[in-house]
Amino acid sequence: MRTRLQRLVLAGIATASTLLPVVAVGSATPPAPAAGAHGALGKDFLWGVAASGFQSEGYPADSNWLRYIQANPDWDRYEDSVDFRSRYPNDIALAAGLGVKVFRIGIEWARVQPTAAAWNEEGFRFYDSVIQAILDAGMKPMLTLDHWVYPGWAADRGGWNNPGMVQDWLANMRTVVDRYAALNPVWVTINEPVAYIMHEVRQNGTDAPAMLDLVAMAHNEIYDYIHRVQPGAQVTSNVGYVAGAEAEVNGPLMDRIGERLDFIGVDYYFGYEPPNSNAVSHRPDGSVPAPAGMWDLPVRPEGIYFALQHYSRKFPDKPLWIVENGMPTEGGKPRADGYTRSDHLRDTVYWLQRAKIDGMNIIGYNYWSLTDNYEWSSYTPRFGLYTVDVTTDPNLTRTPTDAVDSYRGIVTSGGVPSWYTPVRHPVSDCNLVDPPASCESPVTVP
């Protein structure tokens, strides 16, 4: 079961004061605005972009993930990632230029509490400035409390193998909530908890069932605390959706935390990977090394419809928000099938609109990610609207992909036009999307 779970989880994974240069590149013409201005998703739909702390900030504090990189010499060295720490004014301006309403970041525990005995005011001032810049740009901050990274001193105590981890975790997270609750952010407590668990199993020998209990406890405790400090807050813990096995992979987590979710946050990337798939190279135990070959995993944008359908049925009274969605490419190479980032984005939005029209209460969508970043061992997988070549470009130039103009057009018009037909048409064999749901209740174009 554990080997099967690891494979499935990884198939579903997936985090200064002047503007820096951006190189213009050719891009596809964005779709024309639909008549009626706001499209099927409505004028209040929350378009956004996402990033995480460790993956993009650079200048890391001692943490579990810095140690994992040091312990794996075949991984890319972290360096300073894409240096969001000093370039955040530029990156926030790029996001604002898209017209989006939400900017998701992480508040790194290792940066704000570098020792067990004290918090780091300088670390907090950095996040003060980032959050204020997001607000000044007219966007709402979505703050992630835990995106898989904890301080070195917590690692020394055993990480999530330590039964006292929850109390250590809560002490920091309550401090973060106290500092920022008045700004009325949206909160993500723990990013993709099941994927988090699998990384900790591999890198730290963590007991998976025990960690599941602890992260569920941590989420439930901080959820209650946030609502005491910030009445009316919107709080979630986003799940990394696994096509064909969502109930198996994330079901036990959602059974533990479902009552304490104000909306269902879903990260959707890939279609179903059959057990004997040769899309990626498997280890002898059947698990998938990440992220090598991530760009070869099956991209089926229509699957996002079934991810939303799954949770609209499981939690019919809760709104839905795609907290992460995007498409990996291998370094700077185009995809072998010719499918572009812009194609994928427009096709995905088409299926969001279909879900909305069919009665699913979807309220927001975040593109992962604004820029390329460190994908948990490598800079090769590229997800960014703006690409950044960490390994060869010392200037870390933000170069727009074809999806930048497309996303700007989508946000302006509230979606793709009613006449839009997906590039990926006809849709995939239902057995390769999200079985059994994709075969029991298939959708067609149009």
Side-chain angles (χ1 to χ4, degrees):
M1 176 64 72
R2 177 173 292 177
T3 298
R4 165 72 170 160
L5 184 61
Q6 288 174 332
R7 187 187 66 76
L8 290 169
V9 169
L10 281 170
I13 294 177
T15 126
S17 61
T18 59
L19 297 185
L20 298 165
V22 176
V23 177
V25 297
S27 59
T29 301
H38 290 292
L41 295 168
K43 65 182 180 62
D44 296 324
F45 191 78
L46 295 166
W47 299 101
V49 293
S52 84
F54 182 83
Q55 288 179 268
S56 55
E57 286 175 2
Y59 308 95
D62 181 30
S63 70
N64 61 323
W65 264 96
L66 199 59
R67 296 182 185 193
Y68 298 158
I69 294 168
Q70 293 165 350
N72 288 274
D74 57 324
W75 290 5
D76 284 349
R77 300 300 87 188
Y78 180 77
E79 305 297 339
D80 283 316
S81 187
V82 297
D83 188 20
F84 179 79
R85 182 167 169 79
S86 63
R87 300 166 191 250
Y88 70 86
N90 177 75
D91 289 349
I92 292 168
L94 293 177
L98 297 169
V100 298
K101 298 178 181 179
V102 177
F103 195 118
R104 180 187 175 204
I105 61 167
I107 307 294
E108 285 300 323
W109 182 7
R111 195 178 297 284
V112 299
Q113 195 186 8
T115 69
W119 278 265
N120 179 8
E121 184 60 25
E122 181 182 357
F124 271 118
R125 285 197 296 270
F126 164 65
Y127 291 114
D128 293 348
S129 297
V130 172
I131 294 168
Q132 191 59 54
I134 292 170
L135 292 167
D136 289 346
M139 294 178 287
K140 177 180 281 291
M142 176 183 277
L143 305 182
T144 305
L145 292 173
D146 186 337
H147 205 121
W148 304 354
V149 181
Y150 50 83
W153 60 264
D156 291 338
R157 295 181 178 184
W160 290 96
N161 283 317
N162 171 20
M165 180 68 156
V166 171
Q167 293 310 312
D168 290 339
W169 189 94
L170 286 169
N172 174 75
M173 303 313 169
R174 289 171 182 146
T175 302
V176 172
V177 170
D178 287 346
R179 191 168 186 115
Y180 299 120
L183 301 177
N184 195 34
V186 178
W187 296 97
V188 177
T189 60
I190 301 170
N191 180 76
E192 294 187 6
V194 176
Y196 187 8
I197 291 168
M198 288 299 99
H199 281 299
E200 289 297 297
V201 168
R202 290 200 179 95
Q203 302 302 325
N204 196 40
T206 303
D207 181 86
M211 183 172 171
L212 179 62
D213 288 339
L214 292 178
V215 297
M217 182 186 307
H219 166 84
N220 290 337
E221 290 280 347
I222 201 65
Y223 175 91
D224 289 344
Y225 186 80
I226 292 170
H227 279 275
R228 288 196 296 272
V229 176
Q230 183 184 336
Q234 292 292 297
V235 183
T236 199
S237 175
N238 53 320
V239 295
Y241 190 85
V242 182
E246 181 63 10
E248 175 188 350
V249 175
N250 285 304
L253 168 75
M254 298 302 274
D255 289 344
R256 288 167 168 81
I257 70 172
E259 292 184 2
R260 288 181 172 84
L261 297 169
D262 298 312
F263 62 92
I264 306 301
V266 179
D267 296 1
Y268 181 83
Y269 289 99
F270 304 112
Y272 178 59
E273 183 201 357
N276 296 322
S277 170
N278 293 318
V280 292
S281 176
H282 290 71
R283 296 188 178 99
D285 68 355
S287 62
V288 178
M294 185 184 291
W295 45 86
D296 292 321
L297 289 167
V299 174
R300 309 193 195 283
E302 67 269 34
I304 204 166
Y305 178 97
F306 295 100
L308 293 165
Q309 182 186 76
H310 175 88
Y311 280 108
S312 68
R313 291 174 174 176
K314 186 174 179 65
F315 297 101
D317 297 328
K318 295 182 186 289
L320 309 166
W321 190 326
I322 299 296
V323 172
E324 292 181 21
N325 171 256
M327 182 184 75
T329 55
E330 183 182 4
K333 300 177 184 177
R335 285 179 57 90
D337 60 6
Y339 198 48
T340 70
R341 195 170 300 284
S342 182
D343 292 337
H344 177 264
L345 174 58
R346 289 193 298 255
D347 284 2
T348 297
V349 173
Y350 171 90
W351 290 107
L352 298 181
Q353 293 175 193
R354 288 290 297 275
K356 182 78 169 185
I357 290 168
D358 288 348
M360 300 177 211
N361 185 18
I362 176 171
I363 62 172
Y365 170 87
N366 297 340
Y367 194 90
W368 179 273
S369 52
L370 177 66
T371 66
D372 295 333
N373 52 42
Y374 190 78
E375 285 295 333
W376 309 111
S377 76
S378 177
Y379 287 111
T380 301
R382 303 286 184 87
F383 283 87
L385 291 167
Y386 288 85
T387 193
V388 184
D389 196 335
V390 173
T391 58
T392 66
D393 178 11
N395 295 320
L396 300 177
T397 305
R398 274 63 169 152
T399 302
T401 67
D402 64 322
V404 168
D405 284 346
S406 293
Y407 198 24
R408 187 181 294 114
I410 285 167
V411 172
T412 298
S413 58
V416 293
S418 58
W419 45 259
Y420 179 78
T421 300
V423 173
R424 283 283 171 91
H425 171 64
V427 296
S428 309
D429 181 333
C430 68
N431 289 297
L432 300 177
V433 180
D434 192 2
S438 50
C439 291
E440 292 175 348
S441 54
V443 291
T444 59
V445 176

